Amino acid sequence: MAVYHLLLSSPPSLLLLPPSPRRPNLTLIRRIPAHPRLGNSTSLLSSSSPVIRKILVHSTLREDQPVASDAESPTLLIGEDSAAFELGKQKLVSWVYFGVVLGVVLFILNVVWIDNSTGFGKSFIDTVSNISGSPEVAMLMLILIFAIVHSGLASLRDIGEKLIGERAFRVLFAGISLPLAMSTIVYFINHRYDGSQLWQLQGVPGVHEAIWVANFVSFFFLYPSTFNLLEVAAVDKPKMHLWETGIMRITRHPQMVGQIVWCLAHTLWIGNTVAASASLGLIAHHLFGAWNGDRRLAKRYGEAFESIKKRTSVIPFAAIFEGRQVLPEDYYKEFVRLPYLAITALTVGAYFAHPLMQGASFRLHW
């Protein structure tokens, strides 16, 4: 999959909705001390009087949601709305700045890592691949190095942001993770047919179409923070979000599910030991990432995360089948949004751009 399935970011902005004729006056809430990261909000819900509890819960609802009498109701929203994008609230200067940042990052990446005459990318790949001479072992080692750096820095995020600030830590995080992710992807593209063949299904009718659909669907399981491009590029201050709607209703760890789908599809199609080793490493990394992500969110958000955890699931659709998650009647609207339209276009484009990606990777001789 693309860099998006390798690079996970986590970026809390739960704002109290303004009072309206249908809502109680939320000024009462200001008298109640609240944890800046919402850790105390759910403890207040459990310990306050029914009136205060109803006001606090009501403040997290969307405009079209009814007031519920119980804070544990599956229709209440404690977390944020996933993939929400309001064009009218975008600032042109922010996106211009994003374009400049992207250009600078790509230029530096090319000079420092990609260009074989100036960068360290080829030397890094050669060092790793020469340890054993086996493409399967090299593939696993590249994924392991990326996983240690990526998950390690993610685990140090709270400490790092306190020391150097949110934006600086994001730059450090991306600056180290991006070259390692790219190296892993390029090595996989260049060596995907080097291993021992285990099966050959590429000529079986219908397999190509099934693989294409699986790959296409896998990109819709991107973690919602991926869509916050301005935070990813540190144009906006990066945040650790507590998402709850959209794909999060299906699985609390969509990135893991999407990566598993992508790995199984590619392993089935390629059918050799290099593809199998790559899938083994990526799936193991994302399984650890799911556990680590829950741990970090529980540490930052406390009972608010635990409430969301109770009505979501790691296994897709499990919470829905068990009745812990109730999908709204207009659930489809949580996907009819610009980010998913962009993902559709990019996924189709990436399929047709496969020859270009393969050619560019081959010319690097990694």
Side-chain angles (χ1 to χ4, degrees):
M1 183 173 275
V3 175
Y4 273 175
H5 264 323
L6 275 173
L7 289 178
L8 277 146
S9 306
S10 6
S13 63
L14 297 175
L15 304 179
L16 297 179
L17 297 177
S20 70
R22 298 190 294 111
R23 288 188 172 81
N25 191 335
L26 301 185
T27 55
L28 288 175
I29 301 175
R30 298 193 186 100
R31 300 175 186 173
I32 303 173
H35 193 284
R37 291 174 177 169
L38 306 176
N40 292 343
S41 60
T42 48
S43 60
L44 285 171
L45 291 174
S46 60
S47 60
S48 302
S49 68
V51 174
I52 296 299
R53 182 165 64 247
K54 186 172 183 179
I55 294 174
L56 284 169
V57 170
H58 199 173
S59 68
T60 66
L61 297 178
R62 297 182 305 182
E63 291 290 340
D64 58 344
Q65 281 185 288
V67 180
S69 59
D70 190 345
E72 296 300 322
S73 170
T75 62
L76 298 175
L77 280 183
I78 296 175
E80 295 180 77
D81 193 11
S82 305
F85 185 89
E86 297 183 41
L87 192 60
K89 292 185 177 181
Q90 303 304 307
K91 297 179 180 179
L92 179 60
V93 65
S94 295
W95 287 103
V96 171
Y97 188 32
F98 170 80
V100 173
V101 171
L102 180 62
V104 171
V105 168
L106 293 178
F107 175 79
I108 296 175
L109 182 64
N110 181 65
V111 173
V112 176
W113 200 259
I114 300 175
D115 191 329
N116 289 334
S117 63
T118 60
F120 296 95
K122 181 172 174 52
S123 298
F124 170 72
I125 293 291
D126 290 343
T127 300
V128 173
S129 59
N130 288 336
I131 292 177
S132 71
S134 165
E136 293 88 352
V137 174
M139 191 76 254
L140 284 171
M141 290 184 65
L142 288 170
I143 294 174
L144 178 62
I145 293 170
F146 171 82
I148 291 173
V149 172
H150 188 267
S151 294
L153 287 174
S155 299
L156 295 173
R157 179 174 179 172
D158 287 345
I159 298 175
E161 289 182 345
K162 290 178 181 178
L163 291 175
I164 62 176
E166 291 89 342
R167 286 187 171 91
F169 186 81
R170 173 54 55 88
V171 172
L172 175 66
F173 179 85
I176 300 177
S177 298
L178 187 57
L180 296 177
M182 182 179 180
S183 299
T184 306
I185 293 170
V186 170
Y187 187 87
F188 174 76
I189 293 175
N190 287 345
H191 298 271
R192 67 194 185 282
Y193 287 112
D194 286 357
S196 301
Q197 201 68 32
L198 301 174
W199 57 78
Q200 180 57 262
L201 301 177
Q202 294 187 8
V204 177
V207 171
H208 178 269
E209 291 75 12
I211 297 300
W212 190 93
V213 171
N215 287 328
F216 181 80
V217 170
S218 71
F219 278 88
F220 283 84
F221 282 84
L222 285 170
Y223 194 67
S225 293
T226 307
F227 303 139
N228 291 14
L229 296 179
L230 296 181
E231 290 186 17
V232 172
V235 175
D236 288 347
K237 183 181 292 187
K239 308 178 185 68
M240 182 182 288
H241 293 275
L242 186 62
W243 304 112
E244 187 173 6
T245 64
I247 196 68
M248 307 299 287
R249 297 183 188 272
I250 296 176
T251 171
R252 192 168 66 253
H253 292 287
Q255 192 89 19
M256 179 201 71
V257 173
Q259 186 68 74
I260 291 175
V261 172
W262 184 92
C263 286
L264 293 178
H266 278 72
T267 302
L268 183 65
W269 178 252
I270 298 173
N272 66 17
T273 52
V274 170
S277 64
S279 294
L280 177 65
L282 288 171
I283 291 174
H285 171 46
H286 282 73
L287 289 174
F288 172 80
W291 170 83
N292 196 39
D294 278 357
R295 181 189 66 82
R296 293 168 58 218
L297 286 172
K299 181 179 179 181
R300 177 166 291 207
Y301 289 106
E303 292 182 35
F305 170 72
E306 295 300 329
S307 295
I308 291 179
K309 185 177 179 181
K310 289 179 181 178
R311 55 193 184 209
T312 57
S313 60
V314 176
I315 300 175
F317 301 102
I320 298 173
F321 293 148
E322 294 170 2
R324 295 185 286 116
Q325 174 66 240
V326 178
L327 299 180
E329 294 181 0
D330 59 348
Y331 179 54
Y332 71 94
K333 292 182 179 179
E334 296 181 3
F335 291 92
V336 184
R337 293 174 172 179
L338 184 59
Y340 285 108
L341 177 62
I343 286 297
T344 301
L346 289 173
T347 304
V348 173
Y351 172 76
F352 290 106
H354 265 55
L356 297 176
M357 292 187 290
Q358 293 165 5
S361 296
F362 178 75
R363 285 192 293 272
L364 290 175
H365 302 287
W366 287 5

